[in-house]
Amino acid sequence: MDAQQQQMMQEVLMKQQEQANWMLEQLPADKRQQIEEVVNNYRNTLIAQKLPEDRQQTCLWTFYTQLVSKIYQDLASQASHQQSPQQQEQLLQQQLQQQQQQQ
């Protein structure tokens, strides 16, 4: 992999991290606590399996981002079913504005 490809990969990873962190911040405290516990348990499992550290990090990062995304999407879906179409549109616009400001 050349330097340009590595830089592009780093940029993609940074954007993924920003997005995952943003979604995590939107979750209620109890959900964030649950995520932390589950991720720590998974980390301990990977350590017990004696995988190489770079492989542990890759597995952990993939697990973390999928978990945060799934919980965020589930909660957003539940919330959208409880809101009127106008409220849903306002919420979507707010989320888009927040994401654009972070970029």
Side-chain angles (χ1 to χ4, degrees):
M1 190 179 322
D2 66 16
Q4 185 178 7
Q5 289 173 323
Q6 286 179 337
Q7 183 178 356
M8 288 174 58
M9 187 96 126
Q10 279 297 107
E11 289 174 8
V12 168
L13 290 173
M14 286 176 57
K15 286 188 185 236
Q16 287 177 343
Q17 185 175 7
E18 288 173 7
Q19 184 178 16
N21 289 339
W22 182 85
M23 286 188 286
L24 184 67
E25 290 171 8
Q26 306 307 308
L27 297 175
D30 64 325
K31 295 294 183 190
R32 291 193 306 259
Q33 179 66 34
Q34 288 176 343
I35 289 170
E36 183 178 340
E37 290 172 10
V38 170
V39 169
N40 283 334
N41 288 340
Y42 185 58
R43 177 184 291 117
N44 292 334
T45 299
L46 294 174
I47 291 169
Q49 292 176 354
K50 298 183 181 188
L51 294 175
E53 191 170 324
D54 62 333
R55 180 77 175 130
Q56 288 178 25
Q57 285 183 324
T58 300
C59 291
L60 197 59
W61 172 249
T62 302
F63 179 74
Y64 167 77
T65 56
Q66 289 176 352
L67 182 62
V68 170
S69 296
K70 175 74 171 130
I71 291 174
Y72 177 82
Q73 289 170 0
D74 288 351
L75 288 177
S77 176
Q78 289 173 3
S80 70
H81 291 300
Q82 297 171 357
Q83 296 174 340
S84 71
Q86 287 178 330
Q87 290 171 320
Q88 291 175 21
E89 180 65 26
Q90 287 175 337
L91 180 61
L92 179 60
Q93 290 298 326
Q94 288 172 350
Q95 290 173 345
L96 289 173
Q97 287 173 352
Q98 287 174 346
Q99 284 182 329
Q100 288 172 350
Q101 289 171 353
Q102 291 179 350
Q103 294 175 358

